[in-house]
Amino acid sequence: MTKQYDVITLFPEMFDAIADSGVTRRALDEKVWALTCWNPRDFATDKYRTIDDRPFGGGPGMVMKAEPLNAAIDAAIQRQQDLQLAHFTNKPKVVHLTPQARPITDAGIRQLVEEPGLVFLCGRYEGIDERLIEARVDLEISIGDYVLSGGELAAMVLIDAMVRLLPGVLNTPESAIEDSFSPARDGYLDHPHYTRPEVWNGATVPTELMSGNHAGIAKWRRKLVLERTLKRRPDLLDSAGLSKEDLKLLNEIHQKQK
Ligand code: 9D3
């Protein structure tokens, strides 16, 4: 079934980035997923279509008003339920993108993509009236501990990460299975990749990859997966269950360092 992603945003044009390019665009064309943006400004009822106001208690900046966001969320949920009428009529979860949440992980993306549809709420300015968040938000997600200008890029990051996991989206399904962080690689990093020419800028390709010996190539790659993870992200190695073969390879890596 087509995944339905609705986004509440003051900047719907930003989503052209995932709608108009790359695998996300192709998957949209193939109706693997659908995107609908809702601008809270279109739900503001006053003459000036006001979507923000000054914070109670004073302080810098502006706060997004509850009511236009509330009406936009209602419209998005109503439309998702209309679309799903023939199937099951569960309410989609409302996801608030905020730096004040636990950063999403690969496991989190894989949980999120199981939902038939989601409504993403993107904040701008200082944030959103807390009462709207309490009343309407099911889930809060950050994409990492750094500061963006708004929730839009974060919503696109989540959508991109989810869509590429959907059946038929990637040319080679193996590349999603074997990606860095994927459970199939025990959460390790990927090995390095090489293509033609055989010598570039004076640099050759590791001889193991030119041997045609598939078992040898697999062993070399596994060793580089472990070496890379050990060097770059030792935190990922700790949490993975190491097999006897992996321990042997790690031993070889250890010998080499001396
Ligand atoms: C200037 C307001 N800041 C006071 C500490 C808080 C703040 C609110 C909203 C800072 C940035 C933002 C905009 N960011 C997001 O909406 C956001 C985000 C992020 O900034 N980093 C990582 N993940 C996310 S998800 C949404």
Side-chain angles (χ1 to χ4, degrees), residues 31-213:
K31 300 194 169 18
V32 172
W33 68 293
L35 175 68
T36 308
C37 289
W38 306 85
N39 192 333
R41 204 171 284 284
D42 297 334
F43 294 85
T45 50
D46 66 307
K47 188 170 151 192
Y48 304 100
R49 304 208 298 162
T50 313
I51 44 79
D52 60 347
D53 207 338
R54 291 151 60 212
F56 278 127
M62 299 291 270
V63 176
M64 291 179 82
K65 291 166 69 65
E67 198 43 42
L69 292 174
N70 193 54
I73 291 167
D74 277 343
I77 290 176
Q78 186 56 247
R79 164 105 189 307
Q80 280 209 25
Q81 290 189 305
D82 292 348
L83 286 170
Q84 292 180 343
L85 212 63
H87 313 275
F88 40 94
T89 42
N90 263 329
K91 274 201 176 186
K93 286 187 172 134
V94 176
V95 180
H96 175 214
L97 288 316
T98 167
Q100 301 178 66
R102 194 169 286 278
I104 192 86
T105 60
D106 182 70
I109 295 291
R110 285 167 199 273
Q111 269 184 22
L112 215 56
V113 77
E114 291 301 315
E115 299 289 329
L118 291 164
V119 177
F120 293 102
L121 176 58
C122 301
R124 281 272 153 175
Y125 316 120
E126 296 308 299
I128 296 170
D129 189 312
E130 191 66 20
R131 295 166 297 182
L132 182 281
I133 295 167
E134 281 169 4
R136 304 304 306 265
V137 168
D138 298 298
L139 207 57
E140 296 202 303
I141 296 177
S142 160
I143 62 162
D145 294 337
Y146 41 82
V147 181
L148 303 171
S149 318
E152 285 80 6
L153 283 169
M156 284 190 270
V157 164
L158 297 187
I159 293 170
D160 180 276
M162 289 190 292
V163 166
R164 62 187 297 289
L165 293 177
L166 293 171
V169 171
L170 295 187
N171 294 320
T172 48
E174 302 83 32
S175 54
I177 296 164
E178 294 189 358
D179 254 340
S180 299
F181 310 110
S182 92
R185 225 199 264 293
D186 313 322
Y188 300 148
L189 302 185
D190 199 2
H191 55 74
H193 301 265
Y194 301 87
T195 188
R196 292 185 289 181
E198 269 190 58
V199 182
W200 177 80
N201 198 30
T204 55
V205 174
T207 50
E208 290 86 344
L209 296 178
M210 311 304 282
S211 68
N213 169 5

Side-chain angles (χ1 to χ4, degrees), residues 189 225-235 237 250 253-254 257:
L189 302 185
V225 160
L226 292 168
E227 187 173 331
R228 248 191 192 188
T229 309
L230 184 67
K231 249 199 221 135
R232 301 180 183 192
R233 292 292 304 276
D235 56 310
L237 261 191
L250 274 172
I253 293 162
H254 202 74
Q257 309 302 359

